[in-house]
């Protein structure tokens, strides 16, 4: 369990930073989210070996929330808190088991769409340009400026990070996971060789500030809708990962308890200014393969990240954005449901239509 927790924390660190930057809230929010959701979902959840934290789908929705509310982080974190509360309600109402009835074509289309969005959003930092507002459409509008503002040093770092994510030897993955290897190599290159690539910059350390969820009654409709999306998506994301953990460990999770644990984690994330999270498939698989079998491993992974936030935050300040973009490109690619896409010419036309919509 201890080795599983340490290994999961090693994988979670670069992903949490990358998800925080991609959401528009900042790298420290990614770490706060990984700590809050990772710890409380492990302690109160219903899947013994699951490791939770910020995920690609939750990050994309959070980015949309931040953009829609004009960067008003108070409203954004109130939505995260309310989303966690709704997840707890799902668990107490015992509707967790009904998530399994979501049509596969819906889940497939949603995950593939999220993967495409992640890749599109990361194209600008991949080429050394700053991120822009407007989501994927805003990014596409900026592509015309790539030839003028491209940063060749950032591109080299991003390509090396992406190549390491793809081609890292299988025999080394248990010792040094690809995201951490790419993060270390890319950061060293940025420090000593390609120092012209944009970097993360100031990363606050120490305990987070408290963000109490205040909002006006007239704003309630604009807050409930995205909170419900976060709650539903986080529930689906987590319970699908629970099924993956079950298949590997030959155990059976408790769906309703898992939703309660995830809800508590997301409520705490909203209170401390963290990204919303869910069960993370890659971190869960890494944890299980390293020996993690009980909630101790998931809780330990969160405590290790907390230690990093309290003392080692400055180490992240010199990380180039291009490194995180290279890592996230591979994450986005893996989220796309290539299996369904390859089979869609044999699937019923109505199911394929639903997937693409």
């Amino acid at each position: 369990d201890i080795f599983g927790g340490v290994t999961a924390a090693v994988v979670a660190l670069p992903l949490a930073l990358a998800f925080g930057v991609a959401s528009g809230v900042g790298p420290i929010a990614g770490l706060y989210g990984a700590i809050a959701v990772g710890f409380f979902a492990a302690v109160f959840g219903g899947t013994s070996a699951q490791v939770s934290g910020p995920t690609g789908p939750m990050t994309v929705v959070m980015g949309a929330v931040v953009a829609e509310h004009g960067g008003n982080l108070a409203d954004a974190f109130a939505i995260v808190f309310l989303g966690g509360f709704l997840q707890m309600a799902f668990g107490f109402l015992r509707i967790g088991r009904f998530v399994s009835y979501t049509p596969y074509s819906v889940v497939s289309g949603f995950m593939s769409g999220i993967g495409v969005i992640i890749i599109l959003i990361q194209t600008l930092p991949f080429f050394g340009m700053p991120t822009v507002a407007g989501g994927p459409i805003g990014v596409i509008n900026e592509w015309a400026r790539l030839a003028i503002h491209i940063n060749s040093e950032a591109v080299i770092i991003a390509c090396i990070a992406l190549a390491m994510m793809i081609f890292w030897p299988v025999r080394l993955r248990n010792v040094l996971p690809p995201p951490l290897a790419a993060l270390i190599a890319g950061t060293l290159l940025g420090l000593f060789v390609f120092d012209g690539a944009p970097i993360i910059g100031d990363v606050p350390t120490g305990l987070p500030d408290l963000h109490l969820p205040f909002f006006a009654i007239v704003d309630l409709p604009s807050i409930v809708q995205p909170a419900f999306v976060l709650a539903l998506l986080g529930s689906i994301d987590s319970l699908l990962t629970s099924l993956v953990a079950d298949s590997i460990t030959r155990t059976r999770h408790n769906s309703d308890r898992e939703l309660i644990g995830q809800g508590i984690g997301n409520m705490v994330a909203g209170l401390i200014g963290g990204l919303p999270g869910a069960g993370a498939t890659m971190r869960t698989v890494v944890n299980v393969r390293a020996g993690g079998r009980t909630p101790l491993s998931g809780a330990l992974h969160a405590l290790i990240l907390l230690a990093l936030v309290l003392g080692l935050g400055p180490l992240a300040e010199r990380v180039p954005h291009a490194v995180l973009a290279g890592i996230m490109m591979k994450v986005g690619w893996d989220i796309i449901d290539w299996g369904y896409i390859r089979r869609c010419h044999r699937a019923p036309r109505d199911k394929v239509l639903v997937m693409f919509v």
Side-chain angles (χ1 to χ4, degrees), residues 136-157:
I137 304 301
V139 170
I140 292 172
N141 290 334
E142 288 292 306
W143 284 355
R145 300 172 54 225
L146 280 177
I148 305 172
H149 298 281
I150 190 171
N151 184 316
S152 58
E153 295 187 353
V155 174
I156 294 172
I157 292 174

Side-chain angles (χ1 to χ4, degrees), residues 5-6 31 38 92 156 246 272 280 295-296 305 340-341:
V6 171
L31 286 175
F92 283 120
I156 294 172
D246 286 353
I272 66 173
L296 175 63
L305 293 177
Y340 190 91
I341 292 173

Side-chain angles (χ1 to χ4, degrees), residues 153 157 185-197 199 318 320 323:
E153 295 187 353
I157 292 174
T187 302
L188 291 176
L189 285 172
L191 280 172
F192 300 112
V193 184
F194 305 112
D195 57 1
I199 60 173
R318 301 294 301 175
V323 175

Side-chain angles (χ1 to χ4, degrees), residues 7 37 71 76 82 106 124 163 169 171 200 224 294-295 325 329 345:
T7 308
V37 183
L82 183 56
V106 173
L124 296 185
R171 65 180 180 277
I200 286 178
V224 170
T294 76
M329 283 280 191
H345 65 282

Side-chain angles (χ1 to χ4, degrees), residues 18-343:
F19 285 134
V21 173
S23 70
V25 183
I28 197 69
L31 286 175
Y32 287 155
I35 293 165
V37 183
F39 182 82
F40 289 98
V43 172
F44 296 104
T47 312
S48 297
Q50 181 149 284
V51 175
S52 303
T55 64
M58 297 292 275
T59 299
V60 169
V61 175
M62 184 62 176
V65 166
V66 173
E68 184 177 335
H69 288 263
N72 185 342
L73 296 186
D75 282 355
F77 292 131
I79 289 170
V80 174
F81 179 88
L82 183 56
F85 177 80
L86 291 174
Q87 275 187 293
M88 282 187 62
F90 292 166
F92 283 120
L93 293 173
R94 305 182 66 82
I95 62 175
R97 61 190 183 278
F98 294 115
V99 171
S100 61
Y101 292 107
T102 304
Y104 183 75
S105 56
V106 173
V107 176
S108 173
F110 200 98
M111 300 305 286
S112 294
I114 293 294
V116 170
I117 288 173
I118 289 175
I119 292 172
L120 289 176
I121 288 176
Q122 294 304 313
T123 53
L124 296 185
F126 193 95
F127 289 101
M129 293 177 61
T131 55
V132 296
I137 304 301
V139 170
I140 292 172
N141 290 334
E142 288 292 306
W143 284 355
R145 300 172 54 225
L146 280 177
I148 305 172
H149 298 281
I150 190 171
N151 184 316
S152 58
E153 295 187 353
V155 174
I156 294 172
I157 292 174
C159 288
I160 291 173
L162 179 59
M164 293 182 71
M165 289 289 292
I166 297 172
F167 300 112
W168 192 245
V170 175
R171 65 180 180 277
L172 297 179
R173 288 175 183 257
N174 288 336
V175 180
L176 187 63
L180 185 64
L183 181 70
I184 294 172
T187 302
L188 291 176
L189 285 172
L191 280 172
F192 300 112
V193 184
F194 305 112
D195 57 1
I199 60 173
I200 286 178
D202 182 48
V203 175
T205 56
L207 295 174
D209 297 326
L210 199 62
H211 295 262
L212 296 177
F214 291 120
F215 47 84
I217 298 297
V218 294
D219 296 331
L220 196 59
S222 65
I223 287 178
V224 170
Q225 187 265 341
F228 184 79
V229 172
L230 276 176
L232 190 59
L233 175 59
S235 300
I236 294 172
D237 208 359
S238 298
L239 295 181
L240 289 176
T241 303
S242 296
L243 293 176
V244 172
D246 286 353
S247 68
I248 300 174
T249 60
R250 302 292 185 228
T251 56
R252 184 170 183 143
H253 73 277
N254 183 323
S255 296
D256 298 315
R257 184 176 169 186
E258 181 62 31
L259 293 186
I260 292 171
Q262 294 288 338
I264 294 172
N266 279 315
M267 288 176 71
V268 175
L271 287 175
I272 66 173
L275 284 190
T281 305
M282 183 167 72
R283 276 157 275 176
T284 298
V285 172
V286 164
N287 173 49
V288 172
R289 286 179 176 168
R293 287 295 185 277
T294 76
L296 175 63
S297 56
L300 179 62
H301 123 278
L303 294 176
I304 292 171
L305 293 177
L306 177 62
L308 290 172
V309 168
L310 293 180
L312 302 178
L315 293 179
E317 294 178 356
R318 301 294 301 175
V319 175
H321 282 291
V323 175
L324 303 180
I327 294 171
M328 291 292 288
M329 283 280 191
K330 181 62 167 61
V331 171
W333 183 270
D334 290 342
I335 288 176
I336 296 173
D337 189 357
W338 295 107
Y340 190 91
I341 292 173
R342 283 193 294 267
R343 297 193 309 271

